[in-house]
Amino acid sequence: MFSSSRTQRTNDSFSKHRASKSKKQRTSFRAPSSSSNRRYEEAAAEQLQHAQQQQQAAAAQVSPSLVSAIVTLCIGREQRLFAAHEDVLSHSPYLAALCRSQFFETTRRIDLPDDEPEIFSSVLEYLYKGDYYPRLEYDKRRHSWQLEDGTSEVRQGTVESTLFVNGVGVVVLKDTVIYCTAEKYGLPELQRLALRKQGLQSGIQCSTILTSARYAYAHTPDDDSKLRAHYLALIIRSRHTFKRSGTMQVEMEAGGKLFFDLFVAMVNHMDDLAGVKSPY
């Protein structure tokens, strides 16, 4: 009887010990599994990120813009020299045609004596980076776009918005010249960018607006409905200032299609205010 009781206690103790050991084994097996999974996931994420970085670096090394031929460009009356990759220049149909004409030349050189070096520099910056100085910046606080160093309150007035154009001998808004150059080069996206930037400019003198408007009319096709319309709307919005401008009087006496379009636009504007359908 004693022996049986002792045997039973021994078996019970052994069963409890085995159950406890089994439980510990199960517990110790599950915990490392979760930790190991996290480590594996982190290691896989790091490997994926490293692989993506290597892939991007490799793509950059074989980018056509970095291995294509270098073309020398001589710009303006000053004959300022620029160098650019042929594949980058080929984004412009106009420049691509000039590059093809130099295909069999030992020295790849393009002369553009009628272009402005400062403007070509901006075009080249756009072709490489997708924008030109001053670049567009988004103001998260105001939820609006601004020009770096230009429309910012802290850096207002540090950007030169005008350019003396040697070809016509007048001061013109830089973005207008870029727009017209983009028209010539066949770069519609650059045209839209230049127009958007010009719309952010403020405090422009009446004389500069008028000379820029004349330049725009002289260097855009008759069916241009963006830059020309921009100037017509700008003059109409500032009509009270222009009415007192001696420069405006002189310019109107000189005439031109600009002022006929302005007359039509003014009539349409007045008709819209009066709720009358314009015949124009």
Side-chain angles (χ1 to χ4, degrees):
M1 182 175 180
F2 175 77
S3 175
S4 175
S5 175
R6 182 176 181 182
T7 302
Q8 183 177 1
R9 286 197 302 270
T10 304
N11 291 337
D12 291 344
S13 176
F14 177 77
S15 299
K16 291 179 181 178
H17 176 72
R18 184 171 57 183
S20 175
K21 184 176 180 181
S22 175
K23 184 177 180 181
K24 288 182 180 179
Q25 288 177 345
R26 288 197 299 270
T27 304
S28 62
F29 175 77
R30 289 174 182 172
S33 175
S34 175
S35 177
S36 299
N37 286 340
R38 286 198 299 269
R39 287 199 299 270
Y40 292 150
E41 290 173 356
E42 291 173 356
E46 290 177 357
Q47 290 177 356
L48 177 60
Q49 183 179 6
H50 181 66
Q52 289 175 341
Q53 291 175 350
Q54 287 183 330
Q55 185 178 10
Q56 292 173 356
Q61 291 176 357
V62 299
S63 173
S65 63
L66 298 180
V67 298
S68 60
I70 298 293
V71 179
T72 301
L73 302 106
C74 184
I75 310 298
R77 297 179 180 180
E78 306 94 336
Q79 296 186 340
R80 281 181 54 182
L81 296 179
F82 294 84
H85 294 89
E86 182 178 359
D87 283 354
V88 174
L89 296 175
S90 294
H91 285 90
S92 159
Y94 176 81
L95 295 176
L98 293 176
C99 288
R100 286 194 297 269
S101 68
Q102 299 284 319
F103 184 78
F104 295 104
E105 300 294 333
T106 304
T107 304
R108 310 289 293 278
R109 173 174 170 141
I110 296 174
D111 293 306
L112 297 171
D114 297 328
D115 291 2
E116 298 294 328
E118 291 82 0
I119 299 302
F120 186 81
S121 177
S122 295
V123 173
L124 205 57
E125 184 180 3
Y126 166 79
L127 290 175
Y128 273 99
K129 300 179 180 180
D131 202 346
Y132 63 89
Y133 181 82
R135 291 179 293 273
L136 281 173
E137 292 180 340
Y138 186 72
D139 189 336
K140 295 182 179 179
R141 182 170 60 87
R142 296 186 175 184
H143 302 289
S144 62
W145 290 93
Q146 65 183 23
L147 298 175
E148 63 173 341
D149 299 332
T151 53
S152 170
E153 295 178 357
V154 179
R155 300 168 292 183
Q156 185 80 34
T158 60
V159 174
E160 189 65 41
S161 60
T162 59
L163 173 76
F164 182 82
V165 182
N166 292 310
V168 292
V170 294
V171 174
V172 180
L173 286 171
K174 176 183 175 181
D175 294 319
T176 290
V177 185
I178 291 177
Y179 180 100
C180 296
T181 304
E183 167 73 31
K184 173 183 175 182
Y185 287 0
L187 297 169
E189 289 297 330
L190 178 55
Q191 286 182 273
R192 283 189 280 271
L193 178 62
L195 189 62
R196 186 175 186 181
K197 288 187 175 186
Q198 182 161 302
L200 296 173
Q201 299 286 357
S202 61
I204 306 169
Q205 295 182 355
C206 292
S207 58
T208 302
I209 293 175
L210 292 173
T211 55
S212 299
R214 282 193 174 277
Y215 183 93
Y217 264 74
H219 294 84
T220 55
D222 290 338
D223 60 354
D224 179 88
S225 60
K226 296 179 180 179
L227 184 60
R228 294 187 179 192
H230 166 80
Y231 277 109
L232 297 176
L234 180 59
I235 294 172
I236 291 173
R237 287 198 305 268
S238 308
R239 56 190 178 275
H240 298 296
T241 302
F242 278 95
K243 187 172 70 173
R244 300 189 300 268
S245 171
T247 305
M248 183 66 167
Q249 180 179 352
V250 173
E251 290 285 343
M252 291 191 73
E253 289 174 353
K257 191 175 188 306
L258 163 65
F259 293 100
F260 177 76
D261 287 350
L262 179 60
F263 167 74
V264 172
M266 290 286 287
V267 170
N268 292 339
H269 176 69
M270 298 304 296
D271 288 343
D272 289 341
L273 294 178
V276 178
K277 186 175 179 180
S278 174
Y280 293 96

